[in-house]
Amino acid sequence: MSDWKAFTVERTGHIARVTLTGPGKGNAMGPDFWAELPQVFGELDSDPQIRAIVLTGSGKNFSYGLDLSAMGQTFVPLMADKALAAPRTDFLRDVRRLQDAVTAVAACRKPVIAAVSGWCVGGGLDLIAAADIRLASAEATFSLREAKVAIVADVGSLQRLPGIIGEGHLRELAYTGKDIDAARAQQIHLVNDVYPDQEAVLAAADALAQEIAGNPPLVVQGVKDVLEQPRVGRIADGLRYVSAWNSAFLPSEDLTEAVQAVFEKRQPEFKGK
């Protein structure tokens, strides 16, 4: 078994619990997260003892999303004046690497149940969109936040959420970047059920994982494979398109303003430049 910097993995019988641990505040997604995520789910996919996976966050929150302070260097070459083919190609490669990390969750043959408490923002939403089933505690808050920081979401939410919450709800969340609570998330079918607190949602996720694990494992994996088949090509095409789009159009004065506003803890002033 591997030692991880951004996760803990606990195996109990046929169930694995994968817990985000940071090291960024609020389990923010830094370099270790992106490197380890596909490895974690690759190991669990190949472990014949594991039949279902519970995915959750340590502490009070699921994830604050991308760790801007740790991952900011990814954007710097692209923001330079007259950024030509080389930095844009490097950025395209980096985005597709992040996309592949999240896709490893969706591609895992074992059903993945996300148990969400606290904040689930940006990349956190990308991650749970790749899970099979999502449960939430009553205080959970969700946000497709990228538009507020002058970024087109490019790691999977725009591709996977249409099949989960529908086009209208997705467009509302993506265009506004608004926060929604657990009750609204259940209403739009982002989560199946809402539980009183973090302990209760974890217990419910464990119980559901045990129920899944009680069925013939190869049949369950076959069901997942059949359900995924109509979506795989569409999602892959969408991910390739948005990565190319951002490589061409992401650099902007608005993005610089958004990042500065985050670090200066103020409201940004966007000018469409």
Side-chain angles (χ1 to χ4, degrees), residues 39-254:
Q39 298 174 37
V40 168
F41 278 86
E43 280 194 9
L44 295 175
D45 179 76
S46 63
D47 186 341
Q49 293 301 312
I50 298 303
R51 299 183 181 183
I53 301 165
V54 174
L55 175 64
T56 193
S58 62
K60 296 181 179 180
N61 299 292
F62 184 80
S63 179
Y64 286 174
L66 187 71
D67 189 337
L68 285 175
S69 61
M71 299 292 290
Q73 193 60 36
T74 301
F75 299 97
V76 170
L78 197 65
M79 298 301 294
D81 288 341
K82 299 181 181 179
L84 299 177
R88 293 178 188 275
T89 301
D90 290 343
F91 182 79
L92 178 66
R93 181 198 62 226
D94 288 339
V95 171
R96 290 182 174 171
R97 177 176 60 85
L98 306 191
Q99 291 176 340
D100 289 345
V102 173
T103 295
V105 178
C108 180
R109 291 173 295 171
K110 319 302 171 64
V112 180
I113 304 163
V116 181
S117 297
W119 286 97
C120 180
V121 177
L125 192 56
D126 291 313
L127 181 57
I128 68 167
D132 295 89
I133 299 166
R134 289 151 295 278
L135 308 177
S137 57
E139 86 292 344
T141 303
F142 303 84
S143 180
L144 184 53
R145 186 69 61 82
E146 283 84 350
K148 286 188 176 293
V149 289
I151 297 173
V152 174
D154 58 8
V155 193
S157 286
L158 299 185
Q159 290 71 39
R160 294 188 172 95
L161 287 179
I164 298 170
I165 65 175
E167 289 279 352
H169 292 306
L170 172 58
R171 288 171 188 264
E172 180 182 347
L173 297 183
Y175 295 160
T176 65
K178 66 169 60 176
D179 302 337
I180 62 170
D181 61 17
R184 178 73 193 284
Q186 185 179 21
Q187 183 184 33
I188 66 175
H189 306 298
L190 177 59
V191 301
N192 286 20
D193 294 293
V194 176
Y195 297 87
D197 52 35
Q198 187 174 40
E199 182 179 357
V201 74
L202 282 171
D206 288 339
L208 181 55
Q210 291 288 355
E211 188 175 358
I212 292 169
N215 286 329
L218 297 182
V219 170
V220 172
Q221 292 171 32
V223 170
K224 178 169 181 174
D225 186 45
V226 170
L227 289 171
E228 289 292 314
Q229 191 279 330
R231 308 194 314 153
V232 170
R234 174 182 59 77
I235 291 171
D237 288 346
L239 289 171
R240 289 184 64 81
Y241 183 85
V242 72
S243 62
W245 198 98
N246 269 353
S247 297
F249 298 116
L250 182 69
S252 68
E253 292 181 13
D254 282 346

